[in-house]
Amino acid sequence: MSVEIRPATPADLAAILALDPVARREERRHDYVSRAVAGDRGMDVRVLVLDGDLAGYAIMAEFFGHPFLERIYTGERFLRRGVAGALMANIEANFEGDRMFVSCNESNEVMRTLLVARGYRVSGMVENLDPGDPELFFVIFRDALDAAIEAATLD
């Protein structure tokens, strides 16, 4: 099995859009992903390629001057294979600054579980982005990531 995580290129756009059913049916998501791949507003898109197939993508941006994981998506046929975790590990190893933020809907139990397992903690909540489903914001500090990496190398 070969795994590659790398910055997205314009040549990846069609595969990213094909992977994400929301981007296929909603012009707003389609345009957002297209702008992100083009580097609009300094966004950085990472893709994970598994055995030659694009399996997931992540979009990084900025949130009040700090790195912010705006979107992470795993293709349906690649779920439960560690794609999101691998993308997050890559991002965590490479972000600049002392903290990084990410958000997800309160209803997104899978993402909330992943974040808590990776050491993120709730930092706040915003109502009314998706009515009836608040957006939870999480943070992880560089010190916590460094300590986790050190502990893993000592094991």
Side-chain angles (χ1 to χ4, degrees):
M1 174 168 64
S2 73
V3 177
E4 178 187 16
I5 299 175
R6 60 174 172 71
T9 69
D12 295 315
L13 182 59
I16 293 169
L17 295 172
L19 188 73
D20 185 344
V22 176
R24 288 194 305 266
R25 72 175 182 269
E26 291 184 12
E27 186 176 341
R28 183 175 172 200
R29 171 84 65 94
H30 180 284
D31 292 347
Y32 162 74
V33 172
S34 298
R35 288 191 319 271
V37 169
D40 186 46
R41 297 183 298 121
M43 289 188 277
D44 174 38
V45 181
R46 300 265 163 194
V47 293
L48 186 143
V49 180
L50 183 61
D51 292 331
D53 292 321
L54 197 137
Y57 71 92
I59 299 175
M60 289 294 297
E62 192 174 285
F63 180 71
F64 290 96
H66 297 285
F68 179 62
L69 177 59
E70 280 196 3
R71 176 158 318 283
I72 190 163
Y73 188 84
T74 300
E76 190 172 323
R77 69 186 182 106
F78 301 100
L79 292 173
R80 304 282 186 236
R81 293 177 67 184
V83 171
L87 280 165
M88 289 188 72
N90 179 270
I91 290 165
E92 291 163 355
N94 294 299
F95 81 83
E96 295 180 14
D98 66 338
R99 72 196 82 173
M100 183 176 90
F101 291 88
V102 63
S103 72
C104 69
N105 287 94
E106 186 176 52
S107 65
N108 190 341
E109 280 188 52
V110 171
M111 186 63 172
R112 287 187 6 240
T113 300
L114 175 64
L115 291 170
V116 170
R118 296 190 70 77
Y120 289 75
R121 41 186 214 212
V122 174
S123 188
M125 179 175 72
V126 174
E127 299 272 0
N128 302 312
L129 292 173
D130 292 317
D133 194 7
E135 191 79 7
L136 300 177
F137 286 78
F138 294 80
V139 65
I140 193 158
F141 290 90
R142 170 65 64 199
D143 293 346
L145 286 171
D146 291 345
I149 290 168
E150 185 175 328
T153 58
L154 296 175
D155 288 341

